[in-house]
Amino acid sequence: MRRQNKLTNDELKVIEKKISDEEAFDLFFRDCYLRNLRPATIEYYKNEFHAAKRILDKSLVECTQKDLEELIMTSKRLMKVTTINTRLRALRSLYNFLKKNKYIPSSPMKNIKLLRDRQKTIETLDNKEIEQLIRTIRKKKSFVCFRDEVILLVFLDTGVRLSELVGINVEDVRGNKIIIRQTKNLFERTVYLSEVTQEQLARYIKLRGTVNTDRLFINHDNKELKPHSIQTKFSKYGLQAGISKRVSPHTFRHTMAKRMIVAGIDAFSLMTILGHSDMTITKRYVNLWGEDIERKHNQFGALKGLKL
């Protein structure tokens, strides 16, 4: 039988240069290390790749657009939209890298968009809730409770992320400011403390004493404090204080942002303090809580002028 001038798809597979998932991962993570990505980011990629492989039961480098569409359909029955989008972002990074370096002919993510999700209300704590939380923490006179009070004050005063707070060393505290080194975008920044927080932090450092770690915040065994421990603690305090909202480090960050916006801070200064890499999230905060919105509502509210 005479051969055709054009190779079939099966014949093309014979001569195409193939790459395995293991080889693809090695190349991708080597690039991550060369770009000095955070260990947490690299771990996130690893977790998402392995989770996607489990669901697909197929090599990622052999996936097609249809395979990824099936991944989305299956995932929608198992998890939230935000979780699915987190996985899709990881896969997009992998496929873009492989396509850019010509390890695959095209990206199966090319025509796949992130799922639309409802913008949820950002919860913050009001004055009464903050005061109730402080009173709850102060009920027990212990090193751990005093430490947690200081942690709360630092969160509310500076808006630092949980990962940034646990990365603070004692030497990073310099009077009325703290140097934040373990940042999300790798740019160090300075945050500032009120007099109340300065005084309580100075007392905590004296109480902390000299231990075998440079980390500012330590546990009762004099070892560095882990993020999960802080999350668990404040969730427990929130329940004890009778607060129905989620009480977490991220809630404190939102609360700090809202209080500063209501007080009149400009968006650029807030972006710098919070360590945002661009204005997107900062603008969302300003739009939510800006005084202009409140003033316009008071001026033009639908119930204005009604005698009720």
Side-chain angles (χ1 to χ4, degrees), residues 253-268:
R253 183 170 165 84
H254 291 154
T255 301
M256 177 269 194
K258 179 179 180 179
R259 293 174 72 84
M260 295 202 79
I261 289 168
V262 171
I265 193 171
D266 64 277
F268 183 77

Side-chain angles (χ1 to χ4, degrees), residues 16-58:
E16 281 177 353
K17 179 184 177 183
K18 287 188 176 181
I19 185 173
S20 68
D21 275 358
E22 290 69 26
E23 290 171 324
F25 295 162
D26 286 343
L27 291 164
F28 177 78
F29 290 122
R30 180 177 183 274
D31 181 68
C32 289
Y33 288 121
L34 289 173
R35 289 188 289 132
N36 199 30
L37 296 190
R38 295 187 309 149
T41 302
I42 294 173
E43 193 63 27
Y44 146 67
Y45 283 137
K46 289 180 179 178
N47 291 337
E48 296 303 333
F49 296 162
H50 290 305
K53 276 176 69 74
R54 283 197 300 272
I55 294 175
L56 288 164
D57 194 24
K58 184 177 182 178

Side-chain angles (χ1 to χ4, degrees), residues 15 18 32 55 59 66 76 83 87 90 96-97 100 103-104 128 154 159 175 183 188 199 232 243 251 285 290 302 308:
I15 64 172
K18 287 188 176 181
C32 289
I55 294 175
S59 171
K66 187 177 179 180
K76 286 182 73 173
T83 308
R87 184 154 300 158
N96 285 347
F97 168 79
K100 178 182 176 183
Y103 295 116
I104 57 175
K128 288 183 179 179
V154 171
T183 62
E188 291 185 5
E199 291 171 0
T232 303
I243 299 172
T251 307
Y285 288 164
L308 301 176

